[in-house]
Amino acid sequence: MPTRRSAWMTDDLDQLRGLARTFFEKEAVPHQERWAAQKQVDRGFWHKAGELGLLCLSIPEEYGGGGGTFAHEAVLLEEQARCGDSAWGNSVHSGIVAHYLASYGTEEQKRRWLPKMASGEYVGAIAMSEPGGGSDLQNIRTRALRHGDEYVISGSKTFITNGAQADLVVVVAKTDPSQGATGISLLVVETAAAPGFRRGRVLDKIGLKGQDTAELFFDDVRVPADNLLGTGEGQGFIQLMQQLPQERLIIAVASIAGIEAAVALTLDYVKDRTAFGRELIKFQNTRFTLAECATEARVTRAFVDECVEAHLAGELDVPTAAMAKWWSTERLCRVVDECVQLFGGYGYMTEYPIARAWADARVQKIYGGTNEIMKEIIARSL
């Protein structure tokens, strides 16, 4: 399958890609089974990434970041997907949490928290989803009520990436329970200094086995009023809507990289594996299936690249981001499933990367807003 260089790539990004590929091959690939067993990456992995400057790549240098753009995050995402790692939650840490702080934090907040995230001293998480809540953010039950110079946070969250390791959690809560979307605010909780903060189970998932995904509980957790993100209460829903396009583009970038990796794995396999006296690639069904997969990869790559370019120009709108998330994740699941079929029985064995890719792919259609929600967003724009 010919490799194509995206139009948004630069010489600087080529160098980053080489660094990222070496980092993942050395520091991530050998540890996949152990991370899956312990349901999280080693904490030292975060520190190593920080030492190499791979955390918060798109955060300004004055706050400890790499001073790059979303393109830098995209290259790192692609290399992580291509090496088969789904355990490291950096896309949430650097691509999402850090940008809430950079976009809505005060100068003091940014200087207080971002350098620690860029070094790996702090691991970041964002707590949106609740038991029974799913994608319905307007009806969250977690409360953050003002008492003097503090907010008291009460509630529970689930499906939280980096939850078990998080040192800093951006919590989506109702500061005015009588209101819907206009009653939502974002507050930052530093977990080590938050009595009443509890971690629940690290959840046992079908895929993403090495990724730390946990339940979080807030039992009257008190945080300084200064930990509110934004200039006042009630801005949380707007802040979420402004940041969700980047979150969905992150998913799309990881999905197209996953598609390309699956096709490459399968091509190598069918050229080597024999059945009935000849290589699998010589069977028409194999060739036709891979022809379809390669075409879907090319089409998806073109659309995702277009979205990356739009985002770099500040022009990616909400419906287009939803299209990218919906299309790329649907293609990922379809292509990986076709590839598993070509591996036969071995495709169902977890020792094979294609089997892990198949299990990991399914959640992409669910998180970041389900694909049904994506279609609703798209339909409203028509």
Side-chain angles (χ1 to χ4, degrees), residues 6-44:
S6 298
W8 48 266
M9 285 293 295
T10 64
D11 291 343
D12 174 61
L13 293 171
D14 285 332
Q15 292 179 14
L16 173 62
R17 187 179 298 283
L19 173 64
R21 185 166 299 183
T22 299
F23 173 70
F24 285 120
E25 288 176 353
K26 179 182 177 182
E27 303 292 348
V29 172
H31 306 295
Q32 292 299 301
E33 290 186 13
R34 183 167 56 79
W35 287 352
Q38 67 191 27
K39 298 183 180 179
Q40 63 184 32
V41 303
D42 300 327
R43 188 54 187 266

mmCIF file of all heavy atoms in Angstrom, residues 6-44:
data_model
loop_
_atom_site.group_PDB
_atom_site.id
_atom_site.type_symbol
_atom_site.label_atom_id
_atom_site.label_comp_id
_atom_site.label_asym_id
_atom_site.label_seq_id
_atom_site.Cartn_x
_atom_site.Cartn_y
_atom_site.Cartn_z
ATOM 1 N N SER A 6 0.966 13.515 4.135
ATOM 2 C CA SER A 6 -0.112 14.491 4.256
ATOM 3 C C SER A 6 0.400 15.890 3.943
ATOM 4 O O SER A 6 1.549 16.245 4.255
ATOM 5 C CB SER A 6 -0.686 14.462 5.672
ATOM 6 O OG SER A 6 -1.234 13.190 5.966
ATOM 7 N N ALA A 7 -0.459 16.705 3.330
ATOM 8 C CA ALA A 7 -0.068 18.052 2.921
ATOM 9 C C ALA A 7 0.299 18.931 4.109
ATOM 10 O O ALA A 7 1.064 19.889 3.963
ATOM 11 C CB ALA A 7 -1.199 18.693 2.111
ATOM 12 N N TRP A 8 -0.234 18.592 5.291
ATOM 13 C CA TRP A 8 0.045 19.416 6.471
ATOM 14 C C TRP A 8 1.376 19.045 7.139
ATOM 15 O O TRP A 8 1.812 19.719 8.075
ATOM 16 C CB TRP A 8 -1.091 19.328 7.487
ATOM 17 C CG TRP A 8 -1.570 17.949 7.820
ATOM 18 C CD1 TRP A 8 -2.608 17.289 7.247
ATOM 19 C CD2 TRP A 8 -1.030 17.060 8.813
ATOM 20 N NE1 TRP A 8 -2.762 16.030 7.817
ATOM 21 C CE2 TRP A 8 -1.812 15.876 8.778
ATOM 22 C CE3 TRP A 8 0.021 17.152 9.730
ATOM 23 C CZ2 TRP A 8 -1.562 14.789 9.622
ATOM 24 C CZ3 TRP A 8 0.265 16.078 10.578
ATOM 25 C CH2 TRP A 8 -0.517 14.916 10.516
ATOM 26 N N MET A 9 2.046 18.017 6.642
ATOM 27 C CA MET A 9 3.336 17.627 7.212
ATOM 28 C C MET A 9 4.430 18.623 6.825
ATOM 29 O O MET A 9 4.381 19.253 5.777
ATOM 30 C CB MET A 9 3.721 16.233 6.741
ATOM 31 C CG MET A 9 2.947 15.102 7.409
ATOM 32 S SD MET A 9 3.328 14.939 9.169
ATOM 33 C CE MET A 9 5.063 14.475 9.116
ATOM 34 N N THR A 10 5.423 18.770 7.712
ATOM 35 C CA THR A 10 6.582 19.633 7.483
ATOM 36 C C THR A 10 7.847 18.866 7.853
ATOM 37 O O THR A 10 7.777 17.769 8.424
ATOM 38 C CB THR A 10 6.499 20.906 8.349
ATOM 39 O OG1 THR A 10 6.566 20.524 9.740
ATOM 40 C CG2 THR A 10 5.212 21.685 8.100
ATOM 41 N N ASP A 11 9.003 19.458 7.558
ATOM 42 C CA ASP A 11 10.265 18.817 7.941
ATOM 43 C C ASP A 11 10.345 18.656 9.453
ATOM 44 O O ASP A 11 10.837 17.633 9.956
ATOM 45 C CB ASP A 11 11.444 19.645 7.438
ATOM 46 C CG ASP A 11 11.577 19.619 5.915
ATOM 47 O OD1 ASP A 11 10.968 18.726 5.291
ATOM 48 O OD2 ASP A 11 12.266 20.504 5.368
ATOM 49 N N ASP A 12 9.882 19.647 10.191
ATOM 50 C CA ASP A 12 9.879 19.580 11.654
ATOM 51 C C ASP A 12 9.017 18.419 12.138
ATOM 52 O O ASP A 12 9.402 17.681 13.055
ATOM 53 C CB ASP A 12 9.360 20.904 12.223
ATOM 54 C CG ASP A 12 9.178 20.857 13.738
ATOM 55 O OD1 ASP A 12 10.176 20.643 14.451
ATOM 56 O OD2 ASP A 12 8.034 21.034 14.206
ATOM 57 N N LEU A 13 7.880 18.240 11.489
ATOM 58 C CA LEU A 13 6.990 17.141 11.872
ATOM 59 C C LEU A 13 7.570 15.786 11.483
ATOM 60 O O LEU A 13 7.342 14.787 12.174
ATOM 61 C CB LEU A 13 5.612 17.347 11.244
ATOM 62 C CG LEU A 13 4.818 18.551 11.766
ATOM 63 C CD1 LEU A 13 3.566 18.776 10.914
ATOM 64 C CD2 LEU A 13 4.431 18.361 13.233
ATOM 65 N N ASP A 14 8.326 15.737 10.397
ATOM 66 C CA ASP A 14 9.008 14.490 10.025
ATOM 67 C C ASP A 14 9.990 14.072 11.123
ATOM 68 O O ASP A 14 10.096 12.889 11.464
ATOM 69 C CB ASP A 14 9.768 14.671 8.712
ATOM 70 C CG ASP A 14 8.842 14.692 7.501
ATOM 71 O OD1 ASP A 14 7.764 14.074 7.566
ATOM 72 O OD2 ASP A 14 9.215 15.328 6.505
ATOM 73 N N GLN A 15 10.712 15.041 11.668
ATOM 74 C CA GLN A 15 11.659 14.749 12.739
ATOM 75 C C GLN A 15 10.929 14.275 13.988
ATOM 76 O O GLN A 15 11.371 13.331 14.663
ATOM 77 C CB GLN A 15 12.490 15.990 13.043
ATOM 78 C CG GLN A 15 13.437 16.384 11.918
ATOM 79 C CD GLN A 15 14.232 17.633 12.232
ATOM 80 O OE1 GLN A 15 14.288 18.073 13.369
ATOM 81 N NE2 GLN A 15 14.856 18.210 11.211
ATOM 82 N N LEU A 16 9.796 14.915 14.282
ATOM 83 C CA LEU A 16 8.993 14.477 15.427
ATOM 84 C C LEU A 16 8.496 13.057 15.217
ATOM 85 O O LEU A 16 8.509 12.244 16.154
ATOM 86 C CB LEU A 16 7.803 15.425 15.626
ATOM 87 C CG LEU A 16 6.777 15.005 16.674
ATOM 88 C CD1 LEU A 16 7.401 14.923 18.071
ATOM 89 C CD2 LEU A 16 5.578 15.956 16.678
ATOM 90 N N ARG A 17 8.089 12.741 14.007
ATOM 91 C CA ARG A 17 7.591 11.392 13.727
ATOM 92 C C ARG A 17 8.680 10.346 14.001
ATOM 93 O O ARG A 17 8.421 9.296 14.582
ATOM 94 C CB ARG A 17 7.113 11.290 12.277
ATOM 95 C CG ARG A 17 6.425 9.965 11.973
ATOM 96 C CD ARG A 17 5.933 9.874 10.541
ATOM 97 N NE ARG A 17 4.939 10.872 10.191
ATOM 98 C CZ ARG A 17 3.654 10.813 10.545
ATOM 99 N NH1 ARG A 17 3.228 9.817 11.307
ATOM 100 N NH2 ARG A 17 2.818 11.751 10.165
ATOM 101 N N GLY A 18 9.904 10.655 13.584
ATOM 102 C CA GLY A 18 11.001 9.727 13.839
ATOM 103 C C GLY A 18 11.250 9.534 15.318
ATOM 104 O O GLY A 18 11.456 8.404 15.789
ATOM 105 N N LEU A 19 11.233 10.622 16.078
ATOM 106 C CA LEU A 19 11.413 10.547 17.525
ATOM 107 C C LEU A 19 10.291 9.741 18.166
ATOM 108 O O LEU A 19 10.536 8.865 19.012
ATOM 109 C CB LEU A 19 11.463 11.954 18.117
ATOM 110 C CG LEU A 19 11.484 12.052 19.651
ATOM 111 C CD1 LEU A 19 12.757 11.424 20.216
ATOM 112 C CD2 LEU A 19 11.355 13.513 20.090
ATOM 113 N N ALA A 20 9.059 10.032 17.777
ATOM 114 C CA ALA A 20 7.904 9.342 18.360
ATOM 115 C C ALA A 20 7.933 7.852 18.038
ATOM 116 O O ALA A 20 7.658 7.013 18.905
ATOM 117 C CB ALA A 20 6.610 9.973 17.849
ATOM 118 N N ARG A 21 8.295 7.503 16.805
ATOM 119 C CA ARG A 21 8.323 6.091 16.411
ATOM 120 C C ARG A 21 9.358 5.324 17.238
ATOM 121 O O ARG A 21 9.092 4.223 17.735
ATOM 122 C CB ARG A 21 8.619 5.973 14.917
ATOM 123 C CG ARG A 21 8.543 4.549 14.388
ATOM 124 C CD ARG A 21 8.503 4.536 12.877
ATOM 125 N NE ARG A 21 7.337 5.237 12.355
ATOM 126 C CZ ARG A 21 7.041 5.321 11.059
ATOM 127 N NH1 ARG A 21 7.818 4.735 10.163
ATOM 128 N NH2 ARG A 21 5.961 5.973 10.661
ATOM 129 N N THR A 22 10.532 5.922 17.401
ATOM 130 C CA THR A 22 11.571 5.282 18.205
ATOM 131 C C THR A 22 11.135 5.143 19.654
ATOM 132 O O THR A 22 11.344 4.097 20.287
ATOM 133 C CB THR A 22 12.870 6.102 18.132
ATOM 134 O OG1 THR A 22 13.308 6.167 16.768
ATOM 135 C CG2 THR A 22 13.964 5.472 18.979
ATOM 136 N N PHE A 23 10.500 6.181 20.180
ATOM 137 C CA PHE A 23 10.031 6.169 21.568
ATOM 138 C C PHE A 23 9.024 5.047 21.797
ATOM 139 O O PHE A 23 9.147 4.266 22.747
ATOM 140 C CB PHE A 23 9.419 7.520 21.911
ATOM 141 C CG PHE A 23 8.764 7.582 23.259
ATOM 142 C CD1 PHE A 23 9.516 7.544 24.426
ATOM 143 C CD2 PHE A 23 7.381 7.687 23.369
ATOM 144 C CE1 PHE A 23 8.907 7.605 25.670
ATOM 145 C CE2 PHE A 23 6.765 7.747 24.612
ATOM 146 C CZ PHE A 23 7.532 7.708 25.771
ATOM 147 N N PHE A 24 8.037 4.946 20.931
ATOM 148 C CA PHE A 24 7.014 3.921 21.115
ATOM 149 C C PHE A 24 7.573 2.515 20.932
ATOM 150 O O PHE A 24 7.222 1.590 21.680
ATOM 151 C CB PHE A 24 5.843 4.164 20.163
ATOM 152 C CG PHE A 24 4.942 5.294 20.564
ATOM 153 C CD1 PHE A 24 4.766 6.385 19.731
ATOM 154 C CD2 PHE A 24 4.279 5.283 21.780
ATOM 155 C CE1 PHE A 24 3.944 7.438 20.091
ATOM 156 C CE2 PHE A 24 3.452 6.324 22.152
ATOM 157 C CZ PHE A 24 3.279 7.416 21.311
ATOM 158 N N GLU A 25 8.437 2.338 19.939
ATOM 159 C CA GLU A 25 9.004 1.009 19.712
ATOM 160 C C GLU A 25 9.851 0.547 20.894
ATOM 161 O O GLU A 25 9.857 -0.636 21.245
ATOM 162 C CB GLU A 25 9.842 1.025 18.430
ATOM 163 C CG GLU A 25 9.001 1.114 17.167
ATOM 164 C CD GLU A 25 9.854 1.236 15.915
ATOM 165 O OE1 GLU A 25 11.098 1.390 16.047
ATOM 166 O OE2 GLU A 25 9.294 1.180 14.800
ATOM 167 N N LYS A 26 10.537 1.483 21.526
ATOM 168 C CA LYS A 26 11.420 1.133 22.640
ATOM 169 C C LYS A 26 10.682 1.066 23.966
ATOM 170 O O LYS A 26 10.903 0.145 24.771
ATOM 171 C CB LYS A 26 12.555 2.157 22.720
ATOM 172 C CG LYS A 26 13.528 1.909 23.862
ATOM 173 C CD LYS A 26 14.617 2.974 23.922
ATOM 174 C CE LYS A 26 15.549 2.755 25.108
ATOM 175 N NZ LYS A 26 16.596 3.815 25.196
ATOM 176 N N GLU A 27 9.795 2.044 24.211
ATOM 177 C CA GLU A 27 9.222 2.210 25.544
ATOM 178 C C GLU A 27 7.792 1.690 25.691
ATOM 179 O O GLU A 27 7.318 1.514 26.805
ATOM 180 C CB GLU A 27 9.248 3.696 25.936
ATOM 181 C CG GLU A 27 10.627 4.341 25.912
ATOM 182 C CD GLU A 27 11.551 3.806 26.996
ATOM 183 O OE1 GLU A 27 11.075 3.102 27.905
ATOM 184 O OE2 GLU A 27 12.761 4.098 26.939
ATOM 185 N N ALA A 28 7.095 1.436 24.572
ATOM 186 C CA ALA A 28 5.698 0.999 24.658
ATOM 187 C C ALA A 28 5.485 -0.421 24.158
ATOM 188 O O ALA A 28 4.868 -1.240 24.850
ATOM 189 C CB ALA A 28 4.800 1.966 23.887
ATOM 190 N N VAL A 29 5.993 -0.727 22.978
ATOM 191 C CA VAL A 29 5.715 -2.033 22.375
ATOM 192 C C VAL A 29 6.098 -3.203 23.284
ATOM 193 O O VAL A 29 5.311 -4.153 23.442
ATOM 194 C CB VAL A 29 6.407 -2.145 21.001
ATOM 195 C CG1 VAL A 29 6.287 -3.568 20.453
ATOM 196 C CG2 VAL A 29 5.809 -1.141 20.018
ATOM 197 N N PRO A 30 7.270 -3.193 23.941
ATOM 198 C CA PRO A 30 7.647 -4.362 24.753
ATOM 199 C C PRO A 30 6.791 -4.572 26.004
ATOM 200 O O PRO A 30 6.861 -5.631 26.627
ATOM 201 C CB PRO A 30 9.100 -4.048 25.161
ATOM 202 C CG PRO A 30 9.567 -3.003 24.204
ATOM 203 C CD PRO A 30 8.364 -2.199 23.883
ATOM 204 N N HIS A 31 5.976 -3.585 26.369
ATOM 205 C CA HIS A 31 5.265 -3.647 27.652
ATOM 206 C C HIS A 31 3.758 -3.846 27.511
ATOM 207 O O HIS A 31 3.027 -3.731 28.509
ATOM 208 C CB HIS A 31 5.541 -2.368 28.443
ATOM 209 C CG HIS A 31 6.997 -2.060 28.619
ATOM 210 N ND1 HIS A 31 7.838 -2.885 29.346
ATOM 211 C CD2 HIS A 31 7.759 -1.053 28.131
ATOM 212 C CE1 HIS A 31 9.070 -2.378 29.321
ATOM 213 N NE2 HIS A 31 9.044 -1.282 28.581
ATOM 214 N N GLN A 32 3.276 -4.124 26.307
ATOM 215 C CA GLN A 32 1.839 -4.171 26.081
ATOM 216 C C GLN A 32 1.127 -5.206 26.957
ATOM 217 O O GLN A 32 0.083 -4.920 27.553
ATOM 218 C CB GLN A 32 1.554 -4.448 24.605
ATOM 219 C CG GLN A 32 1.958 -3.312 23.674
ATOM 220 C CD GLN A 32 1.225 -2.022 23.967
ATOM 221 O OE1 GLN A 32 0.012 -1.962 23.920
ATOM 222 N NE2 GLN A 32 1.969 -0.969 24.290
ATOM 223 N N GLU A 33 1.670 -6.398 27.051
ATOM 224 C CA GLU A 33 0.994 -7.440 27.834
ATOM 225 C C GLU A 33 0.966 -7.080 29.313
ATOM 226 O O GLU A 33 -0.041 -7.283 29.998
ATOM 227 C CB GLU A 33 1.680 -8.787 27.625
ATOM 228 C CG GLU A 33 1.476 -9.369 26.229
ATOM 229 C CD GLU A 33 2.050 -10.763 26.100
ATOM 230 O OE1 GLU A 33 2.386 -11.378 27.149
ATOM 231 O OE2 GLU A 33 2.167 -11.246 24.960
ATOM 232 N N ARG A 34 2.070 -6.542 29.815
ATOM 233 C CA ARG A 34 2.121 -6.182 31.234
ATOM 234 C C ARG A 34 1.175 -5.023 31.531
ATOM 235 O O ARG A 34 0.471 -5.032 32.544
ATOM 236 C CB ARG A 34 3.552 -5.822 31.624
ATOM 237 C CG ARG A 34 3.727 -5.500 33.105
ATOM 238 C CD ARG A 34 5.198 -5.458 33.482
ATOM 239 N NE ARG A 34 5.945 -4.511 32.652
ATOM 240 C CZ ARG A 34 5.938 -3.181 32.862
ATOM 241 N NH1 ARG A 34 5.217 -2.673 33.836
ATOM 242 N NH2 ARG A 34 6.647 -2.385 32.085
ATOM 243 N N TRP A 35 1.125 -4.047 30.652
ATOM 244 C CA TRP A 35 0.210 -2.930 30.862
ATOM 245 C C TRP A 35 -1.239 -3.390 30.825
ATOM 246 O O TRP A 35 -2.072 -2.909 31.597
ATOM 247 C CB TRP A 35 0.447 -1.859 29.795
ATOM 248 C CG TRP A 35 1.723 -1.082 29.993
ATOM 249 C CD1 TRP A 35 2.556 -1.133 31.075
ATOM 250 C CD2 TRP A 35 2.313 -0.158 29.075
ATOM 251 N NE1 TRP A 35 3.628 -0.289 30.884
ATOM 252 C CE2 TRP A 35 3.507 0.319 29.677
ATOM 253 C CE3 TRP A 35 1.955 0.313 27.822
ATOM 254 C CZ2 TRP A 35 4.327 1.260 29.046
ATOM 255 C CZ3 TRP A 35 2.769 1.237 27.186
ATOM 256 C CH2 TRP A 35 3.941 1.709 27.793
ATOM 257 N N ALA A 36 -1.546 -4.323 29.936
ATOM 258 C CA ALA A 36 -2.908 -4.852 29.875
ATOM 259 C C ALA A 36 -3.268 -5.557 31.174
ATOM 260 O O ALA A 36 -4.394 -5.425 31.682
ATOM 261 C CB ALA A 36 -3.051 -5.802 28.691
ATOM 262 N N ALA A 37 -2.320 -6.290 31.737
ATOM 263 C CA ALA A 37 -2.572 -7.006 32.991
ATOM 264 C C ALA A 37 -2.778 -6.050 34.155
ATOM 265 O O ALA A 37 -3.628 -6.291 35.022
ATOM 266 C CB ALA A 37 -1.425 -7.966 33.291
ATOM 267 N N GLN A 38 -2.020 -4.948 34.182
ATOM 268 C CA GLN A 38 -2.138 -4.008 35.304
ATOM 269 C C GLN A 38 -3.131 -2.880 35.022
ATOM 270 O O GLN A 38 -3.382 -2.038 35.875
ATOM 271 C CB GLN A 38 -0.777 -3.428 35.661
ATOM 272 C CG GLN A 38 -0.159 -2.513 34.603
ATOM 273 C CD GLN A 38 1.298 -2.176 34.903
ATOM 274 O OE1 GLN A 38 2.013 -2.948 35.561
ATOM 275 N NE2 GLN A 38 1.749 -1.010 34.439
ATOM 276 N N LYS A 39 -3.708 -2.875 33.814
ATOM 277 C CA LYS A 39 -4.736 -1.911 33.404
ATOM 278 C C LYS A 39 -4.257 -0.466 33.407
ATOM 279 O O LYS A 39 -5.066 0.456 33.551
ATOM 280 C CB LYS A 39 -5.992 -2.044 34.282
ATOM 281 C CG LYS A 39 -6.681 -3.389 34.188
ATOM 282 C CD LYS A 39 -7.945 -3.414 35.034
ATOM 283 C CE LYS A 39 -8.636 -4.750 34.948
ATOM 284 N NZ LYS A 39 -9.858 -4.806 35.789
ATOM 285 N N GLN A 40 -3.005 -0.253 33.208
ATOM 286 C CA GLN A 40 -2.478 1.100 33.078
ATOM 287 C C GLN A 40 -1.013 1.045 32.664
ATOM 288 O O GLN A 40 -0.337 0.041 32.873
ATOM 289 C CB GLN A 40 -2.607 1.874 34.394
ATOM 290 C CG GLN A 40 -1.803 1.286 35.545
ATOM 291 C CD GLN A 40 -2.040 2.043 36.843
ATOM 292 O OE1 GLN A 40 -3.116 2.570 37.099
ATOM 293 N NE2 GLN A 40 -1.016 2.096 37.672
ATOM 294 N N VAL A 41 -0.552 2.141 32.075
ATOM 295 C CA VAL A 41 0.864 2.239 31.745
ATOM 296 C C VAL A 41 1.637 2.524 33.024
ATOM 297 O O VAL A 41 1.068 2.958 34.035
ATOM 298 C CB VAL A 41 1.130 3.351 30.706
ATOM 299 C CG1 VAL A 41 0.310 3.119 29.441
ATOM 300 C CG2 VAL A 41 0.854 4.735 31.282
ATOM 301 N N ASP A 42 2.942 2.292 32.989
ATOM 302 C CA ASP A 42 3.781 2.641 34.133
ATOM 303 C C ASP A 42 3.806 4.159 34.307
ATOM 304 O O ASP A 42 3.859 4.905 33.319
ATOM 305 C CB ASP A 42 5.213 2.144 33.921
ATOM 306 C CG ASP A 42 5.281 0.642 33.745
ATOM 307 O OD1 ASP A 42 4.458 -0.059 34.366
ATOM 308 O OD2 ASP A 42 6.152 0.175 32.981
ATOM 309 N N ARG A 43 3.806 4.600 35.536
ATOM 310 C CA ARG A 43 3.869 6.044 35.757
ATOM 311 C C ARG A 43 5.174 6.628 35.190
ATOM 312 O O ARG A 43 5.212 7.762 34.700
ATOM 313 C CB ARG A 43 3.741 6.350 37.258
ATOM 314 C CG ARG A 43 3.606 7.847 37.563
ATOM 315 C CD ARG A 43 2.441 8.442 36.761
ATOM 316 N NE ARG A 43 2.366 9.875 36.891
ATOM 317 C CZ ARG A 43 1.604 10.502 37.787
ATOM 318 N NH1 ARG A 43 0.856 9.804 38.615
ATOM 319 N NH2 ARG A 43 1.577 11.813 37.850
ATOM 320 N N GLY A 44 6.215 5.843 35.223
ATOM 321 C CA GLY A 44 7.479 6.298 34.668
ATOM 322 C C GLY A 44 7.421 6.576 33.179
ATOM 323 O O GLY A 44 8.231 7.354 32.650
#
